[in-house]
Amino acid sequence: MKRIFEIDPWVIKSRTLTPEDKRLQESLTAIGNGYMGMRGNFEEGYSGDHLQGTYLAGVWYPDKTRVGWWKNGYPEYFGKAINAPSFIDFGLTLNGVKIDLATLQPSDFSLELDMHQGLLTRSFVVEAGGAKVRLTFQRFLSNEIKEAGLIKLTAEALTGTATLTATPALDGNVVNEDSNYEDGFWQPLGENSEAETIQLITKPNPFKVPQFSVLLKQHTTLNGQPLQGTASATSGRVQREASFTLAAGETAELVKTVIVVTSRDVASEDQGEAAAKLMAQALDAGWTGLLDAQTAIWAKRWALSDVVIDGDDAAQQGIRFNIFQLFMTYYGEDKRLNIGPKGFTGEKYGGATYWDTEAYIVPMYLATTKPDVTRALLQYRHDQLPGAYHNAQQQGLAGALFPMVTFNGIECHNEWEITFEEIHRNGAIAFAIKQYTDYTGDESYVNETGIDVLVGISRFWADRVHFSQRQGQYMIHGVTGPNEYENNVNNNWYTNTMAQWTLQYTLARLPKADKAVVEKLAVSDEEKAHWQDIIDRMYFPEDKDLGIFVQHDTFLDKDLRPASSIPADQRPINQHWSWDHILRSPYIKQADVLQGIYFLNDRFTREQKEKNFDFYEPLTVHESSLSASIHAILAAELGKEDKAVELYARTARLDLDNYNNDTTDGLHITSMSGSWLAIVQGFAGMRDNDDQLSFKPFLPKDWTHYSFKILYRGRTLAISVTREGTDIALVAGPALTVVVNGKAVALPGAER
Amino acid sequence: MKRIFEIDPWVIKSRTLTPEDKRLQESLTAIGNGYMGMRGNFEEGYSGDHLQGTYLAGVWYPDKTRVGWWKNGYPEYFGKAINAPSFIDFGLTLNGVKIDLATLQPSDFSLELDMHQGLLTRSFVVEAGGAKVRLTFQRFLSNEIKEAGLIKLTAEALTGTATLTATPALDGNVVNEDSNYEDGFWQPLGENSEAETIQLITKPNPFKVPQFSVLLKQHTTLNGQPLQGTASATSGRVQREASFTLAAGETAELVKTVIVVTSRDVASEDQGEAAAKLMAQALDAGWTGLLDAQTAIWAKRWALSDVVIDGDDAAQQGIRFNIFQLFMTYYGEDKRLNIGPKGFTGEKYGGATYWDTEAYIVPMYLATTKPDVTRALLQYRHDQLPGAYHNAQQQGLAGALFPMVTFNGIECHNEWEITFEEIHRNGAIAFAIKQYTDYTGDESYVNETGIDVLVGISRFWADRVHFSQRQGQYMIHGVTGPNEYENNVNNNWYTNTMAQWTLQYTLARLPKADKAVVEKLAVSDEEKAHWQDIIDRMYFPEDKDLGIFVQHDTFLDKDLRPASSIPADQRPINQHWSWDHILRSPYIKQADVLQGIYFLNDRFTREQKEKNFDFYEPLTVHESSLSASIHAILAAELGKEDKAVELYARTARLDLDNYNNDTTDGLHITSMSGSWLAIVQGFAGMRDNDDQLSFKPFLPKDWTHYSFKILYRGRTLAISVTREGTDIALVAGPALTVVVNGKAVALPGAER
C-alpha cells in the first residue's frame, strides 16, 4: 500500500516528485477521452525510469505468441494495445540547459489532475544560466473533437533573463515495453515537416489482422501567433524548434494542438486532409473553447453519475476517481470498442476486452448512463460471434466460446490454463444479456440479437460437458474458475452453475425470441431435450456438513488455513510465493463460489449465503482488483458492515493507495465500477429482481451521508442516505413504486 | 507409420532419395561418437527442405525462456543443445555445375549406414557438361580419437571429361531452428585460412552460464597428397577450393580430416595447438587406421550387447539400430555427460538430461556395459545436487528437486505444468540408485554418495506433501504424472507411490551409509519420525470395486472409452486434437500407474497387475516413445504374448517405421533401450529381485530363436531361447545359480 497523492474530493494532487514513484504517478495521472489516452508522462521528457505510453482505442497489433511448447488449440498471437506515437512531446531548454526533472531539481512542484473535466496541470520552478523560470504545463484530450489533444505551456521568468528553446514534436519511434520479441510494432509511412505531420502503419503480420495506419498533425502558437523557428523531420518524427527570450516578470504562452486520425475512421490516403480539417476546427475553437465544451460535457456526466460521500474524503475521492477513469475510457460513443482492463493507462494485459466488462461494469453503466451505452457493449459481443465460434472450433468444440482477451472476437491471450480453461467467461457474457433485459425492461435486444449469443454459448456448454458414467451426472472437467490461483480443476461450482443457468435462460428465452432469428438458429427439439437433460443432471460439488458449495472437486482436501495466517511480509502472495505454492494453497484470488451467489442472488437462502461467505472470505486474499467489491456487496447484505466498509475502501482506493503493489503498470480500469457497486448494491442494497427495484440501505459508521442517482426505465432517481434514514426521490420520469427496507414506497412522477 | 529404409540385419540402407522424406532420412542416418555427432546431412549441401544439425556433447546455450506470463518459480532460460559449426561441408561442382541433389537428378543412388562401426556411405551418379561421374561419400566419427571426424570422397569419371571443383569447408554460420527468439547462439572468435581453423564462442548470456568456445580444424588430401588450391576465410567460415580433372575411367580420392576441440576440455587460447596435435595423430593413423580401430571398438561393444533374433529381420534390425544409436550417444566415457532424448540427431527437447535416463536406460546399461558406465550416470546426478537444491528453493521447498530438463542441474524447461509439477522424476532418480545397488551388489555408491541424493529427495517429498485434515492423510496435490496428457492433477498414484518408496528406501539405507556422510546430512530423529508418519499415512487413490489403483483423484469421473474407439485418422491424437480435448480425455500417453507396477514389480500380486493392465492399457495411446516397452514387459509377464510382441515391434521400430510421425525431428534416443528391456525383461522375463537373477522366457511365435548376453556381478551370461527351450550359459566369471521358470539352475564358473 502506498499513497502518493493527497486526499481531495475533486483533485488528484501532489506537491512532490519522487523518482521511484514515477511509474505510479504516471498511472494515476493518466487521461483519456474514449478515443485516445495516455499516461502521465512529462511533456519535456524524462530520462529516469518511467513508462512511456500513448494509446489509441482499437488500434492494436497481433504480437507473436510466446509459449514454451506449441500445442493444438493455442492462440497464434497475443493482441496488444499498441504504444502509439507520442504527441505530447515538448522539448525545452533554458539558457541551453535541457529541462529534465530526472536531473534538475525543480522547486515549488505541483501536479494536479482535475476530475471535473480531466485537465492535467503541472507546475514547477527551475533555474539555469542565471534565470529562474516557472513552467506550467496543462493538457487535456477533447471530448468535443475526439481527435484533438491540447497542451499549453506557460513560462514565466521570475528572475534573470531566460532564453527558452521549445521543440514541440510528434514522435513515432515508440515501442511496447511488453513486446514478446522486443520488436517494434510500427513502421513509418512518411513525415512532412511543412505540414507538421507524421504517418505510420503497423507492421505486416502473418495472422490476417488488418494493419492500422495513423496520422498525427501538430500546430503550435506562441502568445496566440503561430510558432516560428525551424521545422524538421527524421524517420517517424517531426518537430519544430523555436527560441524566445523572457526578461524577469515576462510570461510566454505556447499552445500545442494535436490531431490524431487513424485508419479505423479515415483511409490512409485521406488522413492528411481529414487531419487538416480537424485542425482548423480545433484552432477555431481554441484552448478556451474546447476546454469549456469539455467541462460542460463532463458536468452532464457527473450530474447523472456522481456519488457524494460526506464524512470520508478518502472514500469520496476514491469513487470519483474510479467513475472518472471509467468514463475517460469508455462512454459508449464507438460500438466497435470495449473496455480494456488498463484502459489508456498502461500496456499490461494487452488486449482490449475481458469478461470484466460483463461481470463488473454492465450493472453500473446500466444505472449511470443511457441504455444505449450498455447495449453497445452487448452488441460488441454479438458482432464478434464469428470469432467466438472460431475459438470453440479451435478446441474441437461446437458453439461459441467468447475469448478471454480479444480485439476482434478471436482469442489472443497465451496461457492455455486461461484461454481454453477459464471458460466461465461465457456465462458472464450470457448473464449480461439478462441483466440488461431485466434492468431496462427492453426485450428487443435479447429477442432479436442476444438470442444468437445465448444459443451459441449454450451449444458450447452442451458440447463441453461430459457425462460421467460412474456418477450418472454431467460434469465439466479441466477448467479455471474466477479464482485464477488454481488451474485445471474439475467441476468448478461457479462454472457448472453458470453453464446450467445459461442453458435454462436460453430455453426460457427461445419461445419469446424473434421468429426469423430463431428459425435460422435451428435449435431442434432433440437439442433442447439434451439441454434440459444437462440442466437436470448437472453435478455440483457440495459439502452438506459444512453447508457450502465446494469450489471444485478436491478443494476441501487442501491444507485449509485462513489468509490471516499468512505473514504480512509475504503479501501479496503473487509477488512472494512460487506459482507452485500458490496453486496448491487454499487461497483465493477473487470471488469464485461467491461470484455465483452474487450473480444469482435470489436463488440462495440467507443461511446459504452466510455459510459460504464465512467459509470462503477468510480464504480470500483479494489479489484481483475484481475481488473486494463482490465481497463488500455480500458482506453488506449479510449485515457485516465493518467487513463491507473495509472491502469498500480496498476497491475504492485500490489504485490511489496501490493496494496490490501493481498500479505502476497502469490502473485497474475494469474493476473501478466495483466501488460504485459496493455503495449502490452493497451499502444501499439495491436489487432489481422481478421488475421490482428495491433498497436496503445502511450508512457506514464514519460517514455522515451519501447520495447517488440512478437511471431506471426512463426515470432518474436520487437516493440519499443519512443517519436519519433514506430519502428516495424521483427526479424525472413517470411514477414508480420501489421497495425500501421491505416496504413499498410510491414515488410520484416528475417532469423531466 | 512410414518406412523409408530396407530391412537388413546390420545395415540401414536405401536406394531412393525422396525430398519429402529428407528430414526423416537425416534423422535415421545420424552418427555420433559420444563426443559429437550429426544428422545425415549431405556433404555437398542440399538446397531443399532439411534440418542441418551438428552437435557437440555438453556444449549448450541458455536460450531466453518463452512463456506467456512470467510467474515466480518459472525457469529463466531453456537450455538448448546448440547446433554446432558444420564440418562435413564439401562443396562440389562438376564442369561448373553445382552438385545439389535437390536440383540434379542423381542415378544409381544408394545410402547405407553400417551398424558394425557407424560408417555412413552414400553413392550416386550425376551428369553435367558432358561428363558422367560416380561420387561416393563416406564418413565416420572416430571412437579412437574422439575429436576426429573423417570424410572420404571418391570420384570416378564414368564417361566424358570431368572437371571437379571441391571446396571442403568449416562453417560456423549455423543457427538452431528452435531458437526462441530467432537468435543465433554463436559469435566468431577468428578464422585462420592458412591453418584452416575457425574458432567460435557462444554469445554472452545474463544467466551466469559459462560461454563455450570451440575450434575446428580441417585438412584435406587428394590421392594421398595435401590438397592444393586456394584457402580463404570469411567471418566464421574457412574453406579450401581446388579443381582437378578426370578423364573417363579415372578416379580421385579426397579425404577430409577434421578436429573439433572445445573449451570443455581445452582453454580457448590452447585450442589451436591442441587441434594441431590431434590432427597430426589423426593424419598419422589415416582413414584406414582409424576406421580399423573403430571397427575393433565396436566389435567389443557388440560382443557384449548384441541381441540376435532369428525369424524376424525387421525385429532384428530394430533392436540393433537402437543399441547402436544409444552407444553412439553415450558409452560412459565422460562423467560430465548424460543421454539427451535426441542424442546427436536433432535439436528438439533442447536439454541434455531427462528422467528417461534413470527410468529407461539404467537397467539396460547395467546389463550390457561395465558397472562404471552406469555409475557415471548416477554420479552425474550427485554432481548436480546443488542445482537440484536450487530448483526446490525456487519453489519455496526444502530438499532437492532434480530437473525435468537440464545441463547443469538447474531446471531449464519452460512449461510450469512440467517443470514444477512433473516431480515424479525425483522418484526415478532415487530408484536408479536402488537398481544399481541391487543389480551390481556394489553398495559403495549408495553408502558414500547416493545417500546424499536420497536424503535430498526425501526432504523434498516431506515438504511437498501436505496433510489433509479432512482425510487425515498426506496428499500430493498439483502434479503431472508420467502421463503428460493430463496436467495439474491431485494424488497421482504413481507419484505418491514413488514418494513413499523414496522415504522408505532412504530410511532403510541411512543406518548402513558412511558415517561421515550421514553426519553431515544431519537427519534428526524427529525428521525420520516425520518421514515414517508420511509413509504410514500416505493417501493412495484406489477403486476396490474395479480392483485398481486410480491414476489420480478424479480419473474415474472421465468419459472412459477405449483408445480403440478413436478413429484412425485422428491418431496420433497429439497431432489431431486440441490440448483441451486431450487433457480432458481418458487417454494415456505412456505408462503411469503401470510404470509404478513395473518399477516395484515384486510388491504386487498377479491379480493386481492383471486388473490394472487390463484397465489402463486399453486407454493408452502410446504416443510417448517411452510407453510401449513398459507395457510389453508387463504384457509378457501376464502371458499376453500377442500384446507383448505387438508392443515390442512398436518400441523396436519406433523410429525406423516413424510410428509417431515425429522422427523427422530426430531419433527417440532415450527410449531406444525399451526394445532391449522388452526382450530381456519382457520375453526373457529377467528379474533381479533379492540378489537372485531369474528368467521366465517365451519365444514369440514368428521367431525361431533369440539370444543375448548380460553382465552380472562380474560374470557374463549368454541366454538363448529357441522353440526347444532356454539355454543359459555362464561365459565368464564365477559360478552362479539362476532361476529359470521357477527352477534353480546352477551354472558352473567359467574362465574369462
Side-chain angles (χ1 to χ4, degrees), chain A residues 96-407:
Chain A
V97 176
K98 183 164 171 46
I99 306 297
D100 175 358
L101 300 192
T103 55
L104 291 179
Q105 280 302 325
S107 59
D108 202 18
F109 176 88
S110 77
L111 177 63
E112 297 193 357
L113 175 58
D114 188 337
M115 296 190 281
H116 284 99
Q117 78 293 71
L119 178 68
L120 182 64
T121 301
R122 181 166 52 101
S123 181
F124 55 91
V125 173
V126 281
E127 203 168 349
K132 204 175 201 177
V133 178
R134 168 171 294 285
L135 297 170
T136 304
F137 283 102
Q138 292 189 287
R139 69 176 185 244
F140 68 96
L141 299 174
S142 174
N143 285 85
E144 179 77 6
I145 303 175
K146 68 180 193 298
E147 296 87 353
L150 285 87
I151 301 139
K152 181 156 86 178
L153 166 61
T154 308
E156 181 190 1
L158 301 177
T159 59
T161 301
T163 297
L164 288 150
T165 304
T167 317
L170 303 171
D171 191 359
N173 299 306
V174 289
V175 292
N176 272 50
E177 204 173 63
D178 69 343
S179 161
N180 280 341
Y181 282 80
E182 298 153 21
D183 288 338
F185 295 158
W186 292 107
Q187 55 193 31
L189 275 182
E191 310 81 27
N192 185 330
S193 61
E194 205 166 325
E196 287 185 83
T197 62
I198 57 172
Q199 194 175 28
L200 298 104
I201 188 163
T202 54
K203 287 188 180 164
N205 67 78
F207 309 115
K208 297 182 188 159
V209 171
Q211 291 171 267
F212 293 94
S213 66
V214 54
L215 183 137
L216 290 84
K217 184 177 179 66
Q218 70 171 2
H219 180 274
T220 312
T221 60
L222 172 60
N223 297 327
Q225 298 303 313
L227 183 69
Q228 303 300 318
T230 318
S232 63
T234 52
S235 175
R237 181 185 161 94
V238 69
Q239 65 175 45
R240 177 174 295 277
E241 186 175 304
S243 298
F244 52 94
T245 300
L246 301 176
E250 286 184 340
T251 294
E253 190 178 277
L254 291 99
V255 176
K256 171 176 169 178
T257 307
V258 177
I259 298 294
V260 182
V261 178
T262 82
S263 56
R264 293 180 64 245
D265 300 316
V266 183
S268 291
E269 58 275 22
D270 302 328
Q271 288 173 358
E273 200 181 326
K277 257 190 216 165
L278 289 162
M279 179 63 84
Q281 287 173 31
L283 294 178
D284 196 42
W287 171 273
T288 311
L290 288 176
L291 185 56
D292 287 350
Q294 179 90 352
T295 307
I297 290 167
W298 272 95
K300 273 192 203 165
R301 294 180 176 184
W302 282 120
L304 284 181
S305 64
D306 190 25
V307 176
V308 176
I309 297 171
D310 292 324
D312 187 340
D313 285 349
Q316 173 67 79
Q317 184 181 36
I319 192 160
R320 283 223 177 95
F321 183 68
N322 292 342
I323 296 170
F324 172 65
Q325 282 290 351
L326 264 174
F327 287 174
M328 287 204 299
T329 305
Y330 184 85
Y331 206 77
E333 289 97 342
D334 186 338
K335 292 187 180 28
R336 299 167 299 175
L337 299 178
N338 206 289
I339 307 168
K342 296 259 165 260
F344 299 115
T345 73
E347 58 193 51
K348 204 176 169 187
Y349 296 113
T353 313
Y354 283 63
W355 74 299
D356 307 22
T357 297
E358 282 79 4
Y360 302 97
I361 294 178
V362 157
M364 169 182 161
Y365 273 60
L366 276 173
T368 57
T369 66
K370 301 252 160 77
D372 285 356
V373 176
T374 309
R375 188 163 173 157
L377 288 171
L378 303 187
Q379 187 65 46
Y380 175 92
R381 294 294 190 179
H382 184 268
D383 294 344
Q384 293 190 350
L385 255 176
Y389 275 94
H390 168 90
N391 298 334
Q393 203 175 25
Q394 288 293 99
Q395 307 308 331
L397 291 165
L401 173 59
F402 283 91
M404 195 64 198
V405 185
T406 197
F407 287 85

Side-chain angles (χ1 to χ4, degrees), chain B residues 223-447:
Chain B
N223 296 327
Q225 298 303 314
L227 184 68
Q228 301 302 316
T230 319
S232 63
T234 53
S235 176
R237 181 185 161 93
V238 69
Q239 65 175 43
R240 177 173 295 276
E241 185 175 306
S243 299
F244 54 93
T245 300
L246 302 176
E250 286 184 341
T251 295
E253 189 178 279
L254 291 98
V255 176
K256 172 177 169 179
T257 306
V258 177
I259 297 295
V260 182
V261 178
T262 83
S263 55
R264 294 181 64 247
D265 300 317
V266 183
S268 291
E269 58 275 20
D270 302 328
Q271 288 174 357
E273 199 182 327
K277 255 188 215 168
L278 288 161
M279 180 62 86
Q281 286 173 30
L283 294 177
D284 196 43
W287 171 273
T288 311
L290 288 176
L291 185 56
D292 287 350
Q294 178 92 349
T295 308
I297 289 168
W298 272 94
K300 271 192 205 166
R301 294 180 176 185
W302 282 119
L304 284 181
S305 63
D306 191 26
V307 175
V308 177
I309 297 171
D310 291 326
D312 187 339
D313 285 349
Q316 172 69 77
Q317 185 182 35
I319 193 161
R320 281 220 179 98
F321 183 67
N322 292 343
I323 296 169
F324 171 65
Q325 282 289 352
L326 263 174
F327 289 175
M328 286 204 299
T329 306
Y330 184 86
Y331 208 77
E333 288 97 344
D334 185 338
K335 292 186 179 28
R336 298 166 299 175
L337 299 178
N338 207 289
I339 307 167
K342 296 262 166 259
F344 299 114
T345 74
E347 59 193 52
K348 204 175 169 187
Y349 296 112
T353 313
Y354 284 62
W355 73 298
D356 306 21
T357 297
E358 281 79 4
Y360 302 96
I361 295 177
V362 157
M364 169 182 160
Y365 273 60
L366 276 174
T368 58
T369 66
K370 301 252 161 76
D372 283 356
V373 176
T374 309
R375 188 163 174 158
L377 288 171
L378 304 187
Q379 186 67 46
Y380 175 91
R381 294 294 190 179
H382 184 269
D383 293 345
Q384 293 189 350
L385 254 175
Y389 275 94
H390 168 89
N391 298 333
Q393 202 174 26
Q394 287 294 98
Q395 307 308 331
L397 291 164
L401 173 59
F402 282 92
M404 196 63 197
V405 185
T406 197
F407 287 85
N408 59 2
I410 292 175
E411 177 62 68
C412 66
H413 188 66
N414 54 2
E415 290 178 300
W416 65 266
E417 58 271 30
I418 304 290
T419 55
F420 57 73
E421 296 223 319
E422 202 167 334
I423 53 175
H424 68 74
R425 59 188 181 257
N426 248 4
I429 287 162
F431 194 70
I433 296 172
K434 172 188 156 65
Q435 289 193 297
Y436 172 86
T437 307
D438 286 2
Y439 192 87
T440 62
D442 167 21
E443 305 210 357
S444 68
Y445 177 75
V446 63
N447 288 343

Side-chain angles (χ1 to χ4, degrees), chain A residues 561-749:
Chain A
R561 302 176 203 214
S564 58
S565 69
I566 305 169
D569 63 358
Q570 294 178 26
R571 299 286 291 265
I573 59 172
N574 71 21
Q575 292 177 14
H576 292 89
W577 288 4
S578 72
W579 193 233
D580 171 62
H581 192 172
I582 289 174
L583 287 179
R584 293 187 291 114
S585 84
Y587 301 119
I588 303 173
K589 188 182 177 192
Q590 70 183 86
D592 194 303
V593 165
L594 298 181
Q595 183 75 36
I597 290 178
Y598 163 70
F599 273 157
L600 306 177
N601 198 263
D602 55 345
R603 278 193 176 187
F604 306 104
T605 65
R606 188 186 161 90
E607 191 192 351
Q608 285 177 313
K609 290 176 189 176
E610 190 142 36
K611 285 203 164 161
N612 281 282
F613 188 92
D614 289 348
F615 183 81
Y616 286 111
E617 199 284 329
L619 294 169
T620 306
V621 287
H622 302 297
E623 291 179 11
S624 162
S625 62
L626 305 168
S627 186
S629 55
I630 303 305
H631 287 88
I633 295 164
L634 291 174
E637 179 177 347
L638 295 169
K640 300 168 190 291
E641 296 188 9
D642 288 349
K643 194 78 194 168
V645 172
E646 171 204 326
L647 291 165
Y648 167 78
R650 205 177 160 112
T651 183
R653 296 193 58 87
L654 180 82
D655 285 319
L656 284 173
D657 291 345
N658 195 16
Y659 263 100
N660 286 342
N661 194 24
D662 59 358
T663 296
T664 43
D665 296 331
L667 304 176
H668 299 85
I669 296 293
T670 45
S671 54
M672 286 184 154
S673 57
S675 46
W676 186 93
L677 296 174
I679 289 187
V680 176
Q681 300 184 339
F683 299 175
M686 183 174 97
R687 298 286 183 277
D688 70 313
N689 296 326
D690 304 322
D691 294 318
Q692 177 59 63
L693 206 57
S694 65
F695 297 88
K696 214 173 173 178
F698 78 89
L699 182 68
K701 60 172 177 263
D702 293 337
W703 299 9
T704 56
H705 158 252
Y706 65 93
S707 60
F708 57 89
K709 294 204 185 80
I710 60 161
L711 299 175
Y712 181 73
R713 300 192 178 189
R715 300 169 184 85
T716 305
L717 281 77
I719 294 91
S720 172
V721 182
T722 60
R723 201 59 60 204
E724 283 66 50
T726 300
D727 180 56
I728 301 193
L730 210 161
V731 179
L736 179 74
T737 297
V738 298
V739 172
V740 181
N741 291 321
K743 286 183 195 159
V745 176
L747 303 173

Side-chain angles (χ1 to χ4, degrees), chain A residues 59 128 136 194 311 366 377 408 438 463 506 518 524 537 595 720:
Chain A
V59 174
T136 304
E194 205 166 325
L366 276 173
L377 288 171
N408 60 3
D438 286 1
D463 200 27
T506 306
V518 169
S524 69
R537 295 201 283 170
Q595 183 75 36
S720 172

